[in-house]
Amino acid sequence: GENVEQHPSTLSVQEGDSAVIKCTYSDSASNYFPWYKQELGKRPQLIIDIRSNVGEKKDQRIAVTLNKTAKHFSLHITETQPEDSAVYFCAAISNFGNEKLTFGTGTRLTIIP
Amino acid sequence: KAGVTQTPRYLIKTRGQQVTLSCSPISGHRSVSWYQQTPGQGLQFLFEYFSETQRNKGNFPGRFSGRQFSNSRSEMNVSTLELGDSALYLCASSPGDWGAYNEQFFGPGTRLTVL
């Protein structure tokens, strides 16, 4: 089955700096990679996703890159703000995988004012 | 559209008891997936139901079961509770179209504590 590794487990950055979270996956059949943000006591919410036929996707201050050959993908947050503090999860799924998301172990991001 | 809802939000049980959790998906969504979230194991997939059929299953013991009704609402049952079952149980709904890139929308979760 799929295995997703995520690093780092914790990350502290100064407000205004950039943050990068990296994930690797094992199953070459995975072709859809969503990122979820979970604030304390709240539900995970999708913030950005990327399909395997795309190398990069950007949405305002958030971007995701995918390297299919190396089987890794990364989340980039620029100009970080205090409200970016949360736990971020990467995930991998095959769109023929019947909705079974395999998650990374999460990264606790803290933005230091 | 209303979001995914789960009931109850909090539950306290003792070892050996059983529990039933409920999830109402977004209107029109036919797929409901269940995940267990713990500090040690993260988010782990339990199973997925689509059109009243279990379509996929994770690596959990048979004490964990579920079902889905014709209105797509889903229930999850855990029998013979163990201390290690204490967790946040999240359900997620999606259209479930096979071959599509379906976004999964999560409910607020049910926090289960086993004493």
Side-chain angles (χ1 to χ4, degrees):
Chain A
E2 175 65 278
N3 181 50
V4 177
E5 294 189 358
Q6 182 172 348
H7 300 280
S9 56
T10 60
L11 180 62
S12 295
V13 301
Q14 290 289 140
E15 182 178 351
D17 287 351
S18 296
V20 180
I21 301 170
K22 298 182 179 182
C23 291
T24 60
Y25 63 100
S26 62
D27 190 350
S28 55
S30 290
N31 59 0
Y32 175 56
F33 306 92
W35 285 86
Y36 286 85
K37 175 184 180 182
Q38 187 175 29
E39 296 178 52
L40 191 62
K42 302 219 174 148
R43 70 190 76 190
Q45 292 199 298
L46 181 76
I47 56 171
I48 196 167
D49 55 21
I50 191 167
R51 302 177 186 182
S52 60
N53 59 348
V54 174
E56 183 173 359
K57 182 177 178 181
K58 193 172 181 180
D59 182 4
Q60 300 182 329
R61 297 186 297 107
I62 295 173
V64 58
T65 58
L66 171 66
N67 183 326
K68 274 195 309 183
T69 304
K71 293 199 185 105
H72 66 70
F73 55 114
S74 300
L75 177 71
H76 305 253
I77 306 174
T78 59
E79 300 172 9
T80 53
Q81 299 169 4
E83 54 264 35
D84 295 329
S85 293
V87 179
Y88 292 80
F89 292 95
C90 62
I93 188 172
S94 164
N95 66 332
F96 298 103
N98 298 331
E99 311 305 284
K100 180 182 177 181
L101 280 169
T102 301
F103 285 91
T105 48
T107 297
R108 182 174 300 280
L109 174 63
T110 302
I111 307 302
I112 305 165
Chain B
K1 282 184 179 177
V4 181
T5 59
Q6 291 187 245
T7 56
R9 294 293 312 278
Y10 301 92
L11 210 46
I12 300 176
K13 292 285 187 179
T14 56
R15 279 180 296 175
Q17 286 187 309
Q18 73 166 21
V19 67
T20 299
L21 314 180
S22 181
C23 173
S24 292
I26 290 171
S27 178
H29 284 187
R30 294 186 294 168
S31 170
V32 174
S33 299
W34 288 89
Y35 295 86
Q36 181 194 66
Q37 185 173 26
T38 60
Q41 298 296 317
L43 277 154
Q44 292 192 294
F45 175 82
L46 282 153
F47 32 64
E48 182 230 353
Y49 285 86
F50 179 83
S51 292
E52 302 180 66
T53 301
Q54 187 180 86
R55 196 163 62 166
N56 209 342
K57 190 176 187 307
N59 298 321
F60 279 80
R63 300 185 297 107
F64 292 82
S65 63
R67 60 178 174 169
Q68 188 179 35
F69 302 94
S70 58
N71 61 358
S72 293
R73 188 178 69 86
S74 178
E75 288 182 347
M76 189 192 101
N77 185 75
V78 188
S79 62
T80 320
L81 285 166
E82 301 177 359
L83 294 177
D85 296 333
S86 294
L88 180 67
Y89 290 89
L90 293 158
C91 74
S93 82
S94 83
D97 299 323
W98 195 75
Y101 298 94
N102 296 301
E103 178 182 348
Q104 293 193 29
F105 295 84
F106 281 86
T110 294
R111 172 77 60 187
L112 172 65
T113 302
V114 182
L115 302 176

